[in-house]
Amino acid sequence: LGRGPGVPRPLQLPLRVSPGCRGAQGRLAYKLLHDLFANYSSALRPVEDTDRALNVTLQVTLSQIIDMDERNQVLTSYLWVRQIWLDAHLTWDTDEYGGIDSIRIPSSYVWRPDIILYNNADEHFGGSMETNVVLRSDGHIMWDSPAITKSSCKVDVSYFPFDGQRCRLTFGSWTYNGNQIDLRNQLDSGDLTDFVENVEWEVLGMPATRNVITYGCCSEPYPDVTYTLLLRRRASFYIFNLLLPCIMVSFLAPLGFYLPADSGEKVSLGVTVLLALTVFQLLVAESMPPSESVPLIGKYYIATMTMITASTALTIFIMNVHHCGPGARPVPPWARRLILHHMARLCCVYEVGESCKSPQRALGGRGGVGDAGGPAESAGEGQVGTEVGACPWDHCLCHHDSLLRNVGYIAGCFRRHRANQRRTGEWKKVAKVMDRFFMWVFFLMVFLMSVLVLGNAA
């Protein structure tokens, strides 16, 4: 026990022994594996009594929602599936093998229950990943395997984009009935502690239920565990990209009635709004399944497009009323009383209404009389003066009658012109009052439809 630098210190002895201990532990594990599987077969159900059912416990952890395909009604999710059962042929005494309590071996070495997803919608029908299993000394086997599943989900889009979905994941044995495998759920719900939040869907819960069903093909019962995934759509994306643009475009449709009829843009505005809503409707239809249930936003689009179509048709009719020519008939008395009197006051149309109508008519009358009488009388006076100076007095009477007839003809033309202008102005006022009335009516309709959609969504 020297103290020189070449002599090993006693503190270094455990470092030399520990690798040997680890090697001995490894040799014991190898011997354990060889002893366990010397006469073992993974093809048979590992029970001592074949008349008793093997208990299999299932637990599912939801890690991520990858995709929800509403059109094809397929939910793609990433799951962690844990299965626990007892293998009566794989037990050992820990004292005989250096205290080894558990080993991890490939899952293909042991018998595994054929638990599959009943409502699988994957075209390749892939199962779980071939991971290791944890084998304990008492024979309990725990198999954790990740799986990306595509399951069929009945999608109800009646309240899209404010909808919620209930997607079921049903797990069960494909060949073993309830008398051979008793499948049970470990917890009352799926595990959501490691769930990665989805940008489109909010998970409200994942309750689990155990069902025992007797199918028509077989008389034995088949137990299964069904996990119901409760989802609610995050509607903010669709509100800002589909609903709000539609509401703003819808409020443009009644403004077509406010445009002046002489601008030539009334019908163009209605057609443009109709085309814009058609584009939004196509965007919604491409993502929705072709089912009989029309989504809420689709109903809103259809109602708005119907309203805009009606407003465009009414605009064409009102423009025909506005452009009634001099040959049009006078405004009927009922229309004058209803539209020009009551509806004009209701819609606050005063441009050609009662407050400005009388002064314009008096001004027009004074102008018309002056225009009709002034030039004619001055011309007649000049002609009479010349005739008096050029012809005898007894011939002036015939010339005076001729002048009166000419003046009367000119005055009649002016009166007919003023009557035609008055008739045309009345029809223009009728068209303007109808424009204002339908503008407020359609504004109210758009507001009520928007409130109805938001109320149904709530």
Side-chain angles (χ1 to χ4, degrees), residues 151-402:
S151 58
S152 58
C153 177
K154 184 179 180 181
V155 178
D156 184 11
V157 293
S158 300
Y159 292 95
F160 175 84
F162 306 98
D163 58 330
Q165 305 298 333
R166 300 171 62 92
C167 295
R168 292 177 173 83
L169 301 171
T170 302
F171 294 90
S173 175
W174 189 253
T175 58
Y176 293 104
N177 55 48
N179 300 324
Q180 297 170 331
I181 287 183
D182 187 12
L183 182 63
R184 296 185 178 274
N185 50 305
Q186 185 176 7
L187 300 176
D188 294 334
S189 64
D191 189 5
L192 301 176
T193 55
D194 297 317
F195 177 70
V196 179
E197 293 292 334
N198 189 268
V199 295
E200 184 179 2
W201 296 95
E202 179 184 359
V203 178
L204 303 180
M206 194 178 178
T209 56
R210 180 179 180 271
N211 307 304
V212 179
I213 302 176
T214 302
Y215 296 96
C217 65
C218 313
S219 59
E220 298 84 2
Y222 282 83
D224 64 67
V225 176
T226 300
Y227 292 88
T228 304
L229 190 59
L230 306 178
L231 303 175
R232 183 172 61 188
R233 191 188 303 271
R234 304 181 191 270
S236 57
F237 173 81
Y238 299 96
I239 289 175
F240 285 102
N241 290 278
L242 290 180
L243 190 58
L244 285 183
C246 176
I247 293 176
M248 290 187 290
V249 169
S250 301
F251 275 100
L252 284 178
L255 292 178
F257 293 105
Y258 194 75
L259 279 176
D262 297 329
S263 64
E265 298 294 333
K266 294 172 71 69
V267 179
S268 301
L269 178 62
V271 173
T272 303
V273 173
L274 187 62
L275 290 176
L277 288 178
T278 304
V279 173
F280 284 115
Q281 174 69 19
L282 291 177
L283 291 177
V284 174
E286 287 180 357
S287 58
M288 294 296 101
S291 61
E292 294 182 357
S293 60
V294 181
L296 184 63
I297 191 171
K299 294 178 181 178
Y300 181 70
Y301 284 161
I302 293 174
T304 307
M305 292 168 65
T306 304
M307 184 197 68
I308 294 174
T309 303
S311 67
T312 306
L314 286 173
T315 300
I316 296 173
F317 170 74
I318 292 173
M319 288 184 65
N320 284 331
V321 173
H322 176 83
H323 291 287
C324 285
R329 294 181 297 176
V331 178
W334 66 267
R336 184 180 289 108
R337 183 171 56 255
L338 176 64
I339 299 177
L340 298 182
H341 182 66
H342 298 290
M343 291 178 60
R345 290 184 177 180
L346 181 64
C347 300
C348 302
V349 179
Y350 296 115
E351 289 82 4
V352 198
E354 296 175 355
S355 61
C356 303
K357 180 178 178 181
S358 298
Q360 287 184 356
R361 182 176 297 175
L363 182 61
R366 288 194 300 268
V369 172
D371 293 340
E377 289 176 359
S378 61
E381 291 176 357
Q383 292 178 1
V384 170
T386 55
E387 293 294 335
V388 170
C391 63
W393 178 261
D394 54 354
H395 295 285
C396 291
L397 186 58
C398 62
H399 293 285
H400 187 265
D401 294 337
S402 176

Side-chain angles (χ1 to χ4, degrees), residues 12-25:
Q12 296 177 352
L13 290 176
L15 296 177
R16 295 182 177 182
V17 175
S18 58
C21 293
R22 288 196 298 267
Q25 193 79 4

Side-chain angles (χ1 to χ4, degrees), residues 74-92:
V74 174
L75 171 67
T76 305
S77 55
Y78 179 42
L79 306 176
W80 299 343
V81 183
R82 171 175 290 183
Q83 304 176 45
I84 301 175
W85 68 92
L86 176 62
D87 195 323
H89 304 310
L90 297 178
T91 60
W92 69 90

